[in-house]
């Protein structure tokens, strides 16, 4: 009251300073009597003396409110100085100079000082002060303070500040302040909203308030208000090259009551700088690319769905086809959308990484990670991650449902004995081949362990991770605030480069060091076993494995001699066709509807019926235990004898078909058409392919790896990138993210191996204890 009377009646400068301080402590509440007294004095002074750039400036009254509200109105004043990133020339600066004026609670002017650590309650090093003032350096410092020290007014006295920036002509330009707790005449808090055009700016501010909640007979305040977050924001000018608008200071206060401080005195505070620019021209381009990426995803998804319908005609599954079609359509779209959006985000990240990091003159500033600009990035990113995980889980499920059958070409030596009485070939070759196939399930061209070690070495060992800092130069010895979009671009580039490098090196050395896939095909020939796979109703692969010597169950000496004769060309080649000089063993095949029904009727239906019956008996019996994924595992009380007969019957049936394929190879083994190569379409309309021999394509590129992880290297690489970045966003640590990525990938590989091993044992009647 004394200050209000002194300011309104006597126009006392000190009283007006006290009145301004009290209104600042009240967070500028226009309806409070103290702030109303300030406004009354403001209106008494003639507006003709107002400062030209703000109507609420009065030379004889402390400047508290801005008349120009909203960021767009504020961004009319451009500083005269030019800002640069490197060494400054005449008329240029790379370090901005700030000054603060200080006032005591009783209205005394405490002087003007160069800004060093006045805005920071944390311990402040000299390097911090330099980084804070360096243009383009996104400074961030956070610490924990003890609020109990501020309960003692003798140790800390509330001080009020006004901030200025020194312009090129030496003048001090006032820096406006955005206090989140500002309360306007409508008792609203416009500064808490994201609409910057509604923000209300002020001049004077405080960092700690230990006065307003103290009564006259108390020395200890009832509560403490402190600046939990202080951020200085710079905006690049749109009209003037290498110039900036007047920066503004954002402050977020928090309050803690005295009992709470006594019980838990620690609080976290932060000081940061943010550099940004008007992106009105940037976002329309990004939005256009986003729309294009979505349209492309829709087109590719429609093509994938169309191709799938050609592989799976509706006439063969009329009952549940609609549900099947809808689920497949969702999986195709989510998978395609995730891939398109991955490259969209990567492209945006690379754009900022290149133009922000490699600029020699100031023309682009990346939005700070502390702002809400990255909300869209997080939404799109986590949708990509979620859809990618769903896609891989659906892939694992699909690969665990394929039909696998081993065709054993070994002939019994007891040719004079009736067929029913002949001894069967040894099962160990089949078990061995099954075990080797099981080991191929999770192998890849790009080993995850090698990939992650290389990525960790490059990102952490060589400090390439520092390229994600919000500093406009590409230096790996810099420090500052990390940017999630830049880190995504840097880490993705490193992952892709390492993955591509590993893949190329393995392909180059494939001439001298065979890949496991090639070794497996050779092993099939040595074991005299062919592999028949159906990954869809009428589509699959055939790997020819007849031994050139005709026998596999021979002594080691005979086996060595047979291989030596083969190496000298003394036997028939390993290929399906004798006249084929390439000796190709791998083929992609399409079977007729009749052949699929016969395949199911001879073996699959009997297998499923036997399993269903045994499981029913097992469930009804007392003490039956539930098994994880029981549908993939053969029951413990399973009877093999009848099914082994059915298995041999199916084997004879498939051999007849293969012999007919070879005999009519000019008609059954055809070259791929352009449409088939481009869109993976079947050679004929499968709904019309009712009967006849299978149609085969030469599989010179080992397309049968699509039933293994080998065929999904890129999809798995992208998923590893997403897993890594997800864990990095949570931990901000490269090493932690690498370790967790390895564990997550190991879990997915275990799930793939576990489900596929049980499916392989189920479809081949091999006990899954032999498969690992």
């Amino acid at each position: 009251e004394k200050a209000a009377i002194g300011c309104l009646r006597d126009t006392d400068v000190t009283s007006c300073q006290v009145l301004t301080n009290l209104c600042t402590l009240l967070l500028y509440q226009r309806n409070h009597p103290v702030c109303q007294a300030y406004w009354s004095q403001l209106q008494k002074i003639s507006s003709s003396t107002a400062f030209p750039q703000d109507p609420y400036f009065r030379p004889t009254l402390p400047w508290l409110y801005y008349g120009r509200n909203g960021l767009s109105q504020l961004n009319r004043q451009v500083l005269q100085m030019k800002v640069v990133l490197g060494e400054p020339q005449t008329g240029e600066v790379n370090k901005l100079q700030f000054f603060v004026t200080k006032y005591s609670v009783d209205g005394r002017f405490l002087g003007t000082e160069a800004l060093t650590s006045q805005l920071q309650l944390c311990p402040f090093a000299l390097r911090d002060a330099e980084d804070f003032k360096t243009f383009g350096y996104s400074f961030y410092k956070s610490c924990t303070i003890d609020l109990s020290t501020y309960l003692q007014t003798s140790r800390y006295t509330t001080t009020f500040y006004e901030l200025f920036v020194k312009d090129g002509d030496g003048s001090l330009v006032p820096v406006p302040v955005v206090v989140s707790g500002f309360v306007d005449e409508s008792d609203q808090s416009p500064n808490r909203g994201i609409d910057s055009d509604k923000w209300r700016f002020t001049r004077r501010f405080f960092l700690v308030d230990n006065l307003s909640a103290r009564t006259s007979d108390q020395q200890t305040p009832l509560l403490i208000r402190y600046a939990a977050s202080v951020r200085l924001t710079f905006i690049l000018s749109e009209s003037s090259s290498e110039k900036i608008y007047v920066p503004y200071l954002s402050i977020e206060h928090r309050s803690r009551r005295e009992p709470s401080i006594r019980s838990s005195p620690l609080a976290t505070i932060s000081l940061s700088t943010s550099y940004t620019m008007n992106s009105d021209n940037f976002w329309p381009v990004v939005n256009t690319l986003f729309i294009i990426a979505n349209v492309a995803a829709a087109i590719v998804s429609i093509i994938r769905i169309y191709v799938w319908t050609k592989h799976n005609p509706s006439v063969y599954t009329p009952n549940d086809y609609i549900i099947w079609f809808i689920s497949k359509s969702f999986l195709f779209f989510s998978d395609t959308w995730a891939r398109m959006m991955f490259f969209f985000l990567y492209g945006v990240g690379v754009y900022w990484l290149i133009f922000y990091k490699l600029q020699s003159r100031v023309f682009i500033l990346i939005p700070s990670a502390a702002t809400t600009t990255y909300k869209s990035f997080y939404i799109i990113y986590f949708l990509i991650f979620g859809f990618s995980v769903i896609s891989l889980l659906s892939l694992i499920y699909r690969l665990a449902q394929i039909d696998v059958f081993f065709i054993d070409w070994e002939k019994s030596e007891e040719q004079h004995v009736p067929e029913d009485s002949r001894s069967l070939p040894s099962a160990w070759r089949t078990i061995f081949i099954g075990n080797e196939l099981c080991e191929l399930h999770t192998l890849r061209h790009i080993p995850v362990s090698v990939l992650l070690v290389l990525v960790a070495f490059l990102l952490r060992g060589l400090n390439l991770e520092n390229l994600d800092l919000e500093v406009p130069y590409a230096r790996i010895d810099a420090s500052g605030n990390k940017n999630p979009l830049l880190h995504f671009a840097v880490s993705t580039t490193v992952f892709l480069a390492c993955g591509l490098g590993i893949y190329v090196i393995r392909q180059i050395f494939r001439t001298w060091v065979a890949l496991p896939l090639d070794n497996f095909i050779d092993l099939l020939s040595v074991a005299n076993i062919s592999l028949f796979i159906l990954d869809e109703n009428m589509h699959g692969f055939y790997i020819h494995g007849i031994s050139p010597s005709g026998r596999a169950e021979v002594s080691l000496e005979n086996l060595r001699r047979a291989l030596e004769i083969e190496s000298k060309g003394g036997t028939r080649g390993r290929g399906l066709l004798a006249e084929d000089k390439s000796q190709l063993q791998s083929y992609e095949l399409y079977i007729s509807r009749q052949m699929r029904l016969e395949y199911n009727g001879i073996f699959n239906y009997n297998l499923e019926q036997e399993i269903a019956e045994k499981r029913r008996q097992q469930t009804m019996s007392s003490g039956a235990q539930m098994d994880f994924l029981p549908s993939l595992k053969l029951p413990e009380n399973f009877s093999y004898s009848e099914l082994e007969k059915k298995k041999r019957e199916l084997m004879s049936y498939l051999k007849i078909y293969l012999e007919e394929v070879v005999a009519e190879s000019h008609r059954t083994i055809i070259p791929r058409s352009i449409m088939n190569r481009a869109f993976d379409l079947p050679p004929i309309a499968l709904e019309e392919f009712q009967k006849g021999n299978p149609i085969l394509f030469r599989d010179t590129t080992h397309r049968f790896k699509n039933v293994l992880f080998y065929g999904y290297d890129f999809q798995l690489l992208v998923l590893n990138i997403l897993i890594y970045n997800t864990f990095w966003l949570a931990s901000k640590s490269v090493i932690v993210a690498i370790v967790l990525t390895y564990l997550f990938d190991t879990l997915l590989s275990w799930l793939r191996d576990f489900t596929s091993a049980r499916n392989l044992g189920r479809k081949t009647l091999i006990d899954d204890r032999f498969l690992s």
Side-chain angles (χ1 to χ4, degrees), residues 424 640-649 764-765:
L424 298 175
Y640 287 88
S641 57
E642 287 299 320
L643 282 173
E644 281 290 345
K645 294 180 181 178
K646 294 293 183 180
K647 178 180 174 181
R648 292 194 296 273
E649 181 183 345
T764 61
L765 302 183

Side-chain angles (χ1 to χ4, degrees), residues 225-429:
R225 277 189 300 179
Y226 62 97
S229 173
V230 179
R231 184 173 70 250
L232 188 60
T233 302
F234 301 85
I235 303 177
L236 198 63
S237 172
E238 301 175 52
S239 57
S240 303
S241 175
E242 299 179 327
K243 290 188 177 182
I244 60 173
Y245 295 112
V246 176
Y248 66 91
L249 188 71
S250 304
I251 302 177
E252 179 184 353
H253 291 102
R254 292 181 184 173
S255 301
R256 290 276 299 276
R257 294 189 174 276
E258 186 264 343
S260 173
I261 295 175
R262 297 290 187 189
S263 61
S264 179
L266 300 182
T268 301
I269 62 172
S270 65
L271 173 66
S272 61
T273 58
S274 174
Y275 295 84
T276 185
M277 58 181 289
N278 189 312
S279 54
D280 290 344
N281 295 327
F282 171 75
W283 288 115
V285 176
V286 172
N287 291 336
T288 301
L289 292 176
F290 179 75
I291 293 172
I292 292 174
N294 278 278
V295 171
I299 293 174
V300 174
S301 298
I302 292 172
I303 293 174
R304 293 180 67 184
I305 294 169
Y306 173 77
V307 172
W308 178 83
T309 58
K310 290 300 180 182
H311 280 256
N312 300 273
S314 60
V315 295
Y316 298 144
T317 53
N319 295 329
D320 56 353
Y321 190 80
I322 296 299
I323 298 176
W324 194 22
F325 175 82
I326 293 174
S327 62
K328 280 293 182 180
S329 299
F330 170 76
L331 290 174
F332 282 137
F333 179 77
S334 61
D335 178 62
T336 306
W337 186 89
R339 295 188 190 187
M340 290 291 183
M341 288 300 107
F342 172 81
F343 284 107
F344 168 76
L345 282 189
Y346 180 55
V348 174
V350 169
Y351 167 83
W352 283 106
L353 183 65
I354 293 175
F355 290 100
Y356 176 65
K357 289 290 185 178
L358 300 182
Q359 59 185 328
S360 58
R361 311 294 291 182
V362 180
F363 74 95
I364 184 172
L365 293 173
I366 192 169
S368 172
T371 64
T372 59
T373 308
Y374 293 88
K375 183 178 180 180
S376 299
F377 166 77
Y378 289 122
I379 292 174
I380 295 175
Y381 173 81
F382 284 109
L383 282 175
I384 294 172
F385 176 71
F387 284 154
S388 297
V389 172
I390 291 174
S391 178
L392 184 67
L393 291 177
S394 67
L395 172 66
I396 292 175
Y397 175 79
R398 181 171 64 84
L399 295 182
Q401 304 296 319
I402 64 175
D403 289 304
V404 182
F405 194 83
F406 295 130
I407 303 175
D408 193 343
W409 298 96
E410 195 74 7
K411 296 180 180 179
S412 174
E413 294 181 353
E414 304 169 348
Q415 298 297 324
H416 59 284
V417 179
E419 186 173 351
D420 293 342
S421 304
R422 294 176 189 173
S423 59
L424 298 175
S426 171
W428 286 110
R429 288 177 298 106

Side-chain angles (χ1 to χ4, degrees), residues 109-128:
F109 174 65
L110 302 179
T112 301
E113 303 173 350
L115 179 64
T116 53
S117 61
Q118 292 90 337
L119 299 182
Q120 177 65 287
L121 300 175
C122 295
F124 212 66
L126 180 62
R127 172 69 181 273
D128 294 333

Side-chain angles (χ1 to χ4, degrees), residues 659-670:
E659 290 171 357
E660 293 177 355
V661 166
V662 173
E664 301 180 6
S665 60
H666 62 283
R667 188 175 60 84
T668 56
I669 302 178
I670 62 177

Side-chain angles (χ1 to χ4, degrees), residues 440-651:
L440 288 177
H441 282 155
T442 55
L443 289 184
R444 314 173 194 177
H445 290 291
I446 306 173
V448 176
S449 56
V450 176
L451 174 68
L452 294 180
V453 168
L454 284 176
V455 170
F457 172 74
L458 293 174
L459 289 180
R460 190 73 178 121
L462 298 185
N463 281 334
L464 292 184
E465 64 167 323
N466 284 346
L467 293 176
D468 66 0
L469 300 178
E470 292 178 349
V471 291
Y473 41 81
R475 285 174 47 188
I476 60 175
D477 59 343
S479 60
N481 192 24
K482 291 185 174 295
N483 185 281
L485 182 58
L486 290 181
H487 189 86
F488 177 75
V490 172
S491 62
T492 300
T493 301
V494 172
F495 265 94
L496 292 177
C498 291
L500 180 62
I502 294 171
Y503 182 85
V504 170
I505 290 174
R506 295 199 71 178
Q507 294 302 316
I508 291 174
F509 283 92
R510 184 177 180 180
T511 305
W512 301 281
V513 181
L515 295 176
L517 216 57
D518 301 318
N519 289 332
F520 177 73
I521 295 176
D522 289 338
L523 182 63
L524 288 173
S525 292
V526 174
N528 206 19
I529 291 176
S530 293
L531 178 60
F532 184 83
I533 299 174
L534 291 176
D535 60 342
E536 290 181 327
N537 254 347
M538 303 171 69
H539 173 267
F541 300 92
Y542 172 70
I543 304 178
H544 191 61
I546 293 182
S547 174
S549 65
R551 295 293 307 280
E553 294 185 2
V554 295
S555 66
L556 186 60
E557 175 61 24
N558 289 338
L559 178 61
R560 184 195 63 79
R561 186 181 301 112
L563 293 175
E564 184 176 349
I565 294 173
E566 181 187 354
S567 65
K568 296 178 180 179
T571 61
R572 180 190 182 281
R574 295 185 176 184
L576 176 62
L577 302 178
E579 65 275 14
D580 185 4
K581 296 185 180 301
S582 66
Q583 298 301 310
L584 184 66
Q585 296 176 251
S586 174
Y587 291 85
E588 184 177 1
L589 63 83
Y590 290 87
I591 63 174
S592 65
R593 179 61 176 167
Q594 179 188 14
M595 183 174 177
R596 180 70 206 204
L597 291 175
E598 290 173 348
Y599 181 94
N600 291 340
I602 295 174
F603 185 70
N604 268 8
Y605 289 157
N606 291 281
L607 173 64
E608 297 303 324
Q609 290 176 2
E610 178 70 15
I611 290 175
E613 176 62 24
K614 296 301 181 183
R615 288 208 180 280
R616 188 185 65 81
Q617 296 176 6
Q618 187 176 355
T619 303
M620 294 177 61
S621 62
S622 59
Q625 296 181 350
M626 296 298 293
D627 184 40
F628 180 56
L629 293 178
S631 62
L632 296 179
K633 186 179 180 181
L634 294 175
E636 295 180 359
N637 57 348
F638 188 75
S639 175
Y640 287 88
S641 57
E642 287 299 320
L643 282 173
E644 281 290 345
K645 294 180 181 178
K646 294 293 183 180
K647 178 180 174 181
R648 292 194 296 273
E649 181 183 345
L650 177 60
M651 194 180 301

Side-chain angles (χ1 to χ4, degrees), residues 102 105 118-121 146-161 205-211 214 219 221 224-227:
K102 301 168 61 176
V105 177
Q118 292 90 337
L119 299 182
Q120 177 65 287
L121 300 175
D146 187 351
L147 292 179
S148 63
T149 59
Y150 299 103
L151 292 174
Q152 305 173 30
T153 55
S154 59
R155 295 185 60 180
Y156 182 86
T157 303
T158 299
T159 304
F160 298 88
Y161 302 91
F205 63 92
F206 64 90
L207 296 180
V208 177
D209 169 24
N210 60 358
L211 284 177
R214 191 179 66 180
Q219 293 298 318
I224 295 290
R225 277 189 300 179
Y226 62 97

